[in-house]
Amino acid sequence: NILKKKAAQKGISKYFKFWGYQKDVRKFINTFDVCVSCSLNEPFGINNLEYMFMKKPCIATNTGGIPEVYGDTNILIPPNDPFKLKEMIKFYMENENFKNEQALKGFERAKSLFSSDINFKSVMDVYGALLDKKSMMQK
């Protein structure tokens, strides 16, 4: 409600939709032309991975763990820079091919580094190595 009031006070409420809490955000993400994550400090940001797995072009702040998540895909901007954000949204909207290429690169990166199969295998490898080490120590 606070955000609704602020948007109304600034005369920009026609540009926003406030849906409230949603259990399944995928249906909303599917409607996005560009996903934006403007965190001032984000250790990881699962929303960024969700965007990448859904093949959405992204603009995010280069803070915390976000640059590691995106790597050389999509667009990273300084935190707290609304002018750069506006510029990059416009850039994506005017460069459809680049926008689509970045979305696909982001998807490929997410799939290769962050898929559940890869994470499961990594965890199992660690446990296997620990069990092997314990077994060797008992001999």
Side-chain angles (χ1 to χ4, degrees), residues 26-126:
R26 291 173 294 176
K27 66 182 177 184
F28 294 101
I29 294 172
N30 277 329
T31 67
F32 298 172
D33 294 317
V34 174
C35 295
V36 176
S37 179
C38 294
S39 297
L40 298 177
N41 186 7
E42 186 73 54
F44 185 76
I46 193 72
N47 62 310
N48 297 298
L49 279 181
E50 290 170 338
Y51 301 152
M52 293 166 74
F53 274 114
M54 292 183 72
K55 298 181 185 174
K56 291 294 180 178
C58 307
I59 300 169
T61 49
N62 61 353
T63 184
I66 293 174
E68 185 179 346
V69 171
Y70 282 110
D72 65 348
T73 72
N74 291 283
I75 295 175
L76 295 174
I77 61 170
N80 212 9
D81 190 343
F83 300 106
K84 189 67 165 178
L85 175 59
K86 176 185 172 187
E87 179 185 329
M88 292 299 98
I89 291 172
K90 185 177 179 190
F91 178 80
Y92 257 162
M93 300 315 291
E94 292 174 348
N95 295 279
E96 192 76 19
N97 286 340
F98 179 77
K99 179 177 80 167
N100 294 335
E101 287 169 8
Q102 292 304 302
L104 188 57
K105 277 178 66 176
F107 170 73
E108 293 298 331
R109 178 175 174 79
K111 189 172 72 170
S112 70
L113 295 178
F114 301 107
S115 73
S116 58
D117 293 345
I118 290 169
N119 289 327
F120 177 78
K121 184 182 179 328
S122 297
V123 169
M124 294 308 290
D125 288 347
V126 168

Side-chain angles (χ1 to χ4, degrees), residues 128-139:
L130 289 172
L131 289 172
D132 288 345
K133 189 174 185 177
K134 183 178 179 184
S135 174
M136 299 240 344
M137 293 173 73
Q138 290 176 344
K139 289 183 179 181

